[in-house]
Amino acid sequence: MKDIFGMRLEELQQVLAEFRLPKFRAKQVAEWLYVRGAASFEDMTNLPKGARAELAASLIIGRPRLKTRLDSADGRTSKFLLEFADGTAVETVLMRQPYGNSICVSTQAGCNMGCAFCASTLHGMARNLTVGEIAGQAVYINDMLKKEDGGKVDTVVIMGSGEPLMNYDNVLGFIRLLHEDYVLGLGYRNFTLSTSGIVPQMYRLAEEGLPISLSLSLHAPNEELRSQIMPINRKYSMKEAVTAAANYAEVTKRRVTYEYILIDQLNDNEKEAEELAGLLKGQLASVNLIPINPVKERNLLRPSQARIEAFENYLKARHINVTVRKEMGTDIQAACGQLRNKHLQDK
Ligand code: SF4
């Protein structure tokens, strides 16, 4: 049976034409799918009864189901484990920020990039998510916010499990779908895509003409250390990835963010701060320092506050735009992949 969740209006029109339904019906169905939360065709009360039964006999609405929800003690972060029809489960995080509700979506079930600090990669990658499965995470949380306090999703960070540029077409399809006014109507500037540095696709993304923000997971300021922390560096070097990020900034005129996980004694010394400042000198860029969220399966430790501040101040003194990510949800295993791993272990 064909799943229609994740289809754009034009695709819905084509599918409904097979059931001899006119174009305006597709708009109604889209509204039921993305705004009004219909779980079945029976819920779509403005469709003729006969059509509802006919559609239900051949089509499905593949919304994710909630498996687990964890709320942080301060109520600002909620983490969801959402499950699709085949039993695949992924994590989605909601962060209630002062500037609005931000969600972090997964694009693959697991990941095979092998980053040393990351729990998402411990079991490899099960599969790519479809457009509907990525969109399903956003629509699920948007519906929930609407019911809870009349809120909505304001910004989307594509930084959950998976390397989004390894699932390029579906991720771009997801961004375009959410932008549509019959879905969430989100401006492209409200999306941030984070990559470990898949260089050819970074160039391709720059040519899409979408003003989405790009962030590059750098995590080390030299080739040797980056290869140690991120195996992808052996395929696409740091130099190539930084050049591709600079090209993205140049073409889109959007500032690129460099994510840098601070790991005690490994990449948080003055030597690395100096190399990082040299690498980004003169670029339209900012650095986001992320003190590592300890993952028990990995023996990588969080630096002391003094070391974090020293690293930050070194960069500031060299006129690098730098922020330290505020901790959110450490009490609910908000680090990417931890909840899903627990789910896999419990299975
Ligand atoms: S940090 Fe991102 S790219 Fe690296 S293993 Fe984790 S999910 Fe994959």
Short mmCIF file of all heavy atoms in Angstrom, two decimals, residues 117-161:
data_model
loop_
_atom_site.label_atom_id
_atom_site.label_comp_id
_atom_site.label_asym_id
_atom_site.label_seq_id
_atom_site.Cartn_x
_atom_site.Cartn_y
_atom_site.Cartn_z
N PHE A 117 32.79 10.52 19.28
CA PHE A 117 32.07 11.03 20.45
C PHE A 117 30.58 10.74 20.40
O PHE A 117 29.83 11.17 21.26
CB PHE A 117 32.24 12.56 20.51
CG PHE A 117 31.91 13.20 19.20
CD1 PHE A 117 30.61 13.49 18.88
CD2 PHE A 117 32.91 13.46 18.27
CE1 PHE A 117 30.27 14.03 17.65
CE2 PHE A 117 32.59 14.01 17.04
CZ PHE A 117 31.27 14.29 16.73
N CYS A 118 30.11 10.02 19.38
CA CYS A 118 28.68 10.01 19.09
C CYS A 118 28.03 8.65 19.35
O CYS A 118 28.51 7.62 18.89
CB CYS A 118 28.47 10.41 17.64
SG CYS A 118 26.74 10.38 17.16
N ALA A 119 26.91 8.69 20.07
CA ALA A 119 26.20 7.45 20.40
C ALA A 119 25.38 6.93 19.22
O ALA A 119 25.05 5.75 19.16
CB ALA A 119 25.29 7.70 21.60
N SER A 120 25.07 7.81 18.27
CA SER A 120 24.21 7.39 17.15
C SER A 120 24.86 6.37 16.23
O SER A 120 24.20 5.67 15.49
CB SER A 120 23.83 8.60 16.29
OG SER A 120 22.94 9.40 16.97
N THR A 121 26.16 6.33 16.27
CA THR A 121 26.88 5.51 15.31
C THR A 121 27.27 4.14 15.88
O THR A 121 27.80 3.29 15.17
CB THR A 121 28.12 6.30 14.81
OG1 THR A 121 28.59 5.74 13.61
CG2 THR A 121 29.22 6.37 15.86
N LEU A 122 26.99 3.93 17.17
CA LEU A 122 27.45 2.71 17.84
C LEU A 122 26.88 1.43 17.22
O LEU A 122 27.51 0.39 17.23
CB LEU A 122 27.08 2.75 19.33
CG LEU A 122 27.90 3.76 20.17
CD1 LEU A 122 27.33 3.84 21.58
CD2 LEU A 122 29.36 3.37 20.21
N HIS A 123 25.68 1.52 16.65
CA HIS A 123 25.07 0.33 16.03
C HIS A 123 25.02 0.46 14.51
O HIS A 123 24.25 -0.23 13.85
CB HIS A 123 23.65 0.12 16.58
CG HIS A 123 23.62 -0.11 18.06
ND1 HIS A 123 23.84 -1.34 18.63
CD2 HIS A 123 23.44 0.74 19.09
CE1 HIS A 123 23.79 -1.23 19.96
NE2 HIS A 123 23.54 0.02 20.24
N GLY A 124 25.80 1.37 13.95
CA GLY A 124 25.79 1.56 12.50
C GLY A 124 24.51 2.21 12.03
O GLY A 124 23.74 2.75 12.83
N MET A 125 24.28 2.15 10.71
CA MET A 125 23.07 2.77 10.18
C MET A 125 22.10 1.69 9.72
O MET A 125 22.48 0.78 8.99
CB MET A 125 23.39 3.69 9.01
CG MET A 125 22.16 4.47 8.58
SD MET A 125 22.24 5.25 6.98
CE MET A 125 22.40 3.92 5.84
N ALA A 126 20.83 1.79 10.14
CA ALA A 126 19.83 0.81 9.71
C ALA A 126 19.33 1.17 8.31
O ALA A 126 19.30 0.34 7.42
CB ALA A 126 18.68 0.77 10.70
N ARG A 127 18.95 2.44 8.12
CA ARG A 127 18.48 2.86 6.80
C ARG A 127 18.27 4.37 6.76
O ARG A 127 18.20 5.03 7.79
CB ARG A 127 17.19 2.14 6.41
CG ARG A 127 15.99 2.43 7.28
CD ARG A 127 14.75 1.77 6.70
NE ARG A 127 13.58 1.96 7.53
CZ ARG A 127 12.82 3.04 7.54
NH1 ARG A 127 13.14 4.09 6.79
NH2 ARG A 127 11.76 3.12 8.31
N ASN A 128 18.13 4.88 5.52
CA ASN A 128 17.76 6.28 5.33
C ASN A 128 16.29 6.45 5.70
O ASN A 128 15.49 5.53 5.52
CB ASN A 128 17.88 6.66 3.84
CG ASN A 128 19.31 6.97 3.46
OD1 ASN A 128 20.11 7.42 4.28
ND2 ASN A 128 19.64 6.75 2.20
N LEU A 129 15.94 7.65 6.17
CA LEU A 129 14.53 7.95 6.39
C LEU A 129 13.95 8.59 5.13
O LEU A 129 14.67 9.27 4.38
CB LEU A 129 14.35 8.91 7.57
CG LEU A 129 14.87 8.43 8.93
CD1 LEU A 129 14.43 9.41 10.02
CD2 LEU A 129 14.39 7.03 9.27
N THR A 130 12.67 8.36 4.90
CA THR A 130 12.00 8.96 3.75
C THR A 130 11.63 10.41 4.07
O THR A 130 11.70 10.84 5.23
CB THR A 130 10.70 8.19 3.43
OG1 THR A 130 9.82 8.35 4.57
CG2 THR A 130 10.95 6.72 3.20
N VAL A 131 11.18 11.14 3.04
CA VAL A 131 10.71 12.51 3.26
C VAL A 131 9.61 12.51 4.33
O VAL A 131 9.62 13.31 5.27
CB VAL A 131 10.14 13.11 1.94
CG1 VAL A 131 9.50 14.47 2.20
CG2 VAL A 131 11.23 13.22 0.88
N GLY A 132 8.67 11.57 4.19
CA GLY A 132 7.54 11.52 5.12
C GLY A 132 7.99 11.21 6.55
O GLY A 132 7.41 11.71 7.51
N GLU A 133 9.02 10.38 6.68
CA GLU A 133 9.48 10.03 8.03
C GLU A 133 10.22 11.19 8.69
O GLU A 133 10.14 11.36 9.91
CB GLU A 133 10.38 8.78 7.96
CG GLU A 133 9.57 7.52 7.66
CD GLU A 133 10.43 6.32 7.34
OE1 GLU A 133 11.60 6.49 6.94
OE2 GLU A 133 9.93 5.18 7.47
N ILE A 134 10.93 11.97 7.90
CA ILE A 134 11.60 13.14 8.50
C ILE A 134 10.53 14.19 8.82
O ILE A 134 10.49 14.76 9.91
CB ILE A 134 12.69 13.71 7.56
CG1 ILE A 134 13.64 12.60 7.10
CG2 ILE A 134 13.49 14.78 8.28
CD1 ILE A 134 14.62 13.00 6.00
N ALA A 135 9.62 14.41 7.85
CA ALA A 135 8.56 15.40 8.08
C ALA A 135 7.65 14.97 9.23
O ALA A 135 7.15 15.81 9.98
CB ALA A 135 7.74 15.59 6.80
N GLY A 136 7.45 13.65 9.36
CA GLY A 136 6.57 13.13 10.41
C GLY A 136 7.05 13.56 11.80
O GLY A 136 6.24 13.80 12.69
N GLN A 137 8.35 13.66 11.98
CA GLN A 137 8.88 14.10 13.28
C GLN A 137 8.47 15.55 13.57
O GLN A 137 8.03 15.88 14.67
CB GLN A 137 10.41 14.00 13.28
CG GLN A 137 10.95 12.61 13.03
CD GLN A 137 12.45 12.62 12.73
OE1 GLN A 137 13.25 13.11 13.52
NE2 GLN A 137 12.84 12.10 11.59
N ALA A 138 8.61 16.40 12.55
CA ALA A 138 8.28 17.82 12.72
C ALA A 138 6.78 18.01 12.93
O ALA A 138 6.34 18.77 13.79
CB ALA A 138 8.75 18.61 11.51
N VAL A 139 5.98 17.30 12.12
CA VAL A 139 4.53 17.46 12.20
C VAL A 139 4.02 16.91 13.55
O VAL A 139 3.14 17.50 14.18
CB VAL A 139 3.84 16.77 11.00
CG1 VAL A 139 2.33 16.75 11.16
CG2 VAL A 139 4.22 17.49 9.70
N TYR A 140 4.62 15.81 13.99
CA TYR A 140 4.22 15.24 15.29
C TYR A 140 4.40 16.29 16.40
O TYR A 140 3.50 16.53 17.21
CB TYR A 140 5.06 13.99 15.62
CG TYR A 140 4.74 13.43 16.98
CD1 TYR A 140 3.69 12.53 17.15
CD2 TYR A 140 5.42 13.87 18.12
CE1 TYR A 140 3.35 12.06 18.41
CE2 TYR A 140 5.08 13.42 19.38
CZ TYR A 140 4.05 12.51 19.52
OH TYR A 140 3.71 12.06 20.78
N ILE A 141 5.57 16.92 16.43
CA ILE A 141 5.85 17.87 17.51
C ILE A 141 5.00 19.14 17.33
O ILE A 141 4.51 19.72 18.30
CB ILE A 141 7.36 18.18 17.60
CG1 ILE A 141 8.06 16.89 18.03
CG2 ILE A 141 7.63 19.31 18.59
CD1 ILE A 141 9.53 17.02 18.23
N ASN A 142 4.80 19.56 16.09
CA ASN A 142 3.97 20.74 15.85
C ASN A 142 2.54 20.50 16.36
O ASN A 142 1.96 21.36 17.03
CB ASN A 142 3.97 21.05 14.35
CG ASN A 142 3.54 22.47 14.07
OD1 ASN A 142 4.17 23.42 14.53
ND2 ASN A 142 2.45 22.63 13.33
N ASP A 143 2.00 19.32 16.06
CA ASP A 143 0.64 18.99 16.53
C ASP A 143 0.59 18.98 18.05
O ASP A 143 -0.35 19.48 18.67
CB ASP A 143 0.23 17.58 16.03
CG ASP A 143 -0.08 17.58 14.53
OD1 ASP A 143 -0.19 18.67 13.95
OD2 ASP A 143 -0.19 16.48 13.96
N MET A 144 1.64 18.41 18.64
CA MET A 144 1.68 18.31 20.09
C MET A 144 1.74 19.70 20.74
O MET A 144 1.04 19.99 21.70
CB MET A 144 2.91 17.48 20.47
CG MET A 144 3.05 17.17 21.91
SD MET A 144 4.79 17.15 22.30
CE MET A 144 5.14 18.88 22.45
N LEU A 145 2.58 20.57 20.17
CA LEU A 145 2.71 21.94 20.72
C LEU A 145 1.39 22.68 20.62
O LEU A 145 0.98 23.41 21.53
CB LEU A 145 3.80 22.71 19.97
CG LEU A 145 5.24 22.31 20.27
CD1 LEU A 145 6.20 22.92 19.26
CD2 LEU A 145 5.63 22.75 21.69
N LYS A 146 0.73 22.47 19.48
CA LYS A 146 -0.56 23.13 19.26
C LYS A 146 -1.54 22.74 20.38
O LYS A 146 -2.22 23.57 20.95
CB LYS A 146 -1.11 22.68 17.90
CG LYS A 146 -1.82 23.78 17.13
CD LYS A 146 -2.46 23.32 15.85
CE LYS A 146 -1.61 22.46 14.94
NZ LYS A 146 -2.28 21.96 13.75
N LYS A 147 -1.56 21.44 20.68
CA LYS A 147 -2.49 20.96 21.71
C LYS A 147 -2.06 21.41 23.10
O LYS A 147 -2.88 21.77 23.93
CB LYS A 147 -2.53 19.42 21.69
CG LYS A 147 -3.46 18.89 20.60
CD LYS A 147 -3.57 17.37 20.68
CE LYS A 147 -3.71 16.79 19.29
NZ LYS A 147 -3.00 15.55 19.07
N GLU A 148 -0.73 21.40 23.35
CA GLU A 148 -0.26 21.69 24.71
C GLU A 148 -0.44 23.16 25.09
O GLU A 148 -0.93 23.47 26.16
CB GLU A 148 1.22 21.31 24.85
CG GLU A 148 1.38 19.84 25.17
CD GLU A 148 2.81 19.47 25.53
OE1 GLU A 148 3.70 20.35 25.60
OE2 GLU A 148 3.06 18.28 25.70
N ASP A 149 0.00 24.05 24.22
CA ASP A 149 -0.10 25.47 24.61
C ASP A 149 -0.33 26.39 23.41
O ASP A 149 0.01 27.57 23.46
CB ASP A 149 1.17 25.90 25.38
CG ASP A 149 2.44 25.70 24.57
OD1 ASP A 149 2.34 25.33 23.38
OD2 ASP A 149 3.53 25.91 25.12
N GLY A 150 -0.85 25.84 22.33
CA GLY A 150 -1.12 26.67 21.15
C GLY A 150 0.15 27.08 20.42
O GLY A 150 0.12 27.97 19.57
N GLY A 151 1.28 26.41 20.74
CA GLY A 151 2.56 26.77 20.12
C GLY A 151 2.76 26.07 18.79
O GLY A 151 1.87 25.37 18.28
N LYS A 152 3.94 26.27 18.21
CA LYS A 152 4.27 25.64 16.93
C LYS A 152 5.79 25.49 16.83
O LYS A 152 6.53 26.07 17.64
CB LYS A 152 3.75 26.48 15.77
CG LYS A 152 4.36 27.86 15.67
CD LYS A 152 3.80 28.59 14.47
CE LYS A 152 4.34 30.00 14.32
NZ LYS A 152 5.77 30.18 14.22
N VAL A 153 6.21 24.75 15.83
CA VAL A 153 7.65 24.63 15.57
C VAL A 153 8.10 25.90 14.84
O VAL A 153 7.50 26.30 13.85
CB VAL A 153 7.92 23.39 14.69
CG1 VAL A 153 9.36 23.39 14.18
CG2 VAL A 153 7.63 22.11 15.46
N ASP A 154 9.16 26.54 15.36
CA ASP A 154 9.64 27.78 14.74
C ASP A 154 10.92 27.59 13.94
O ASP A 154 11.11 28.22 12.91
CB ASP A 154 9.88 28.84 15.82
CG ASP A 154 8.59 29.19 16.56
OD1 ASP A 154 7.64 29.64 15.90
OD2 ASP A 154 8.53 28.97 17.78
N THR A 155 11.80 26.73 14.44
CA THR A 155 13.05 26.50 13.71
C THR A 155 13.38 25.00 13.71
O THR A 155 12.99 24.27 14.63
CB THR A 155 14.25 27.26 14.32
OG1 THR A 155 14.34 26.92 15.69
CG2 THR A 155 14.11 28.75 14.19
N VAL A 156 14.08 24.59 12.66
CA VAL A 156 14.42 23.17 12.52
C VAL A 156 15.93 23.03 12.36
O VAL A 156 16.54 23.69 11.50
CB VAL A 156 13.73 22.55 11.29
CG1 VAL A 156 14.17 21.11 11.09
CG2 VAL A 156 12.20 22.60 11.44
N VAL A 157 16.50 22.19 13.17
CA VAL A 157 17.92 21.89 13.08
C VAL A 157 18.04 20.45 12.59
O VAL A 157 17.46 19.54 13.19
CB VAL A 157 18.58 22.04 14.47
CG1 VAL A 157 20.07 21.83 14.37
CG2 VAL A 157 18.28 23.38 15.08
N ILE A 158 18.76 20.27 11.50
CA ILE A 158 18.90 18.91 10.95
C ILE A 158 20.23 18.39 11.46
O ILE A 158 21.28 18.48 10.80
CB ILE A 158 18.80 18.95 9.41
CG1 ILE A 158 17.50 19.66 9.01
CG2 ILE A 158 18.85 17.54 8.82
CD1 ILE A 158 17.40 19.98 7.54
N MET A 159 20.18 17.89 12.69
CA MET A 159 21.41 17.57 13.41
C MET A 159 21.22 16.34 14.29
O MET A 159 22.02 16.08 15.18
CB MET A 159 21.77 18.79 14.28
CG MET A 159 23.22 18.96 14.59
SD MET A 159 23.48 20.38 15.68
CE MET A 159 23.58 21.73 14.55
N GLY A 160 20.11 15.61 14.10
CA GLY A 160 19.88 14.41 14.91
C GLY A 160 20.69 13.26 14.35
O GLY A 160 21.74 13.45 13.74
N SER A 161 20.21 12.04 14.54
CA SER A 161 20.96 10.89 14.05
C SER A 161 21.06 10.93 12.53
O SER A 161 20.09 11.27 11.84
CB SER A 161 20.26 9.60 14.45
OG SER A 161 20.29 9.49 15.85
#
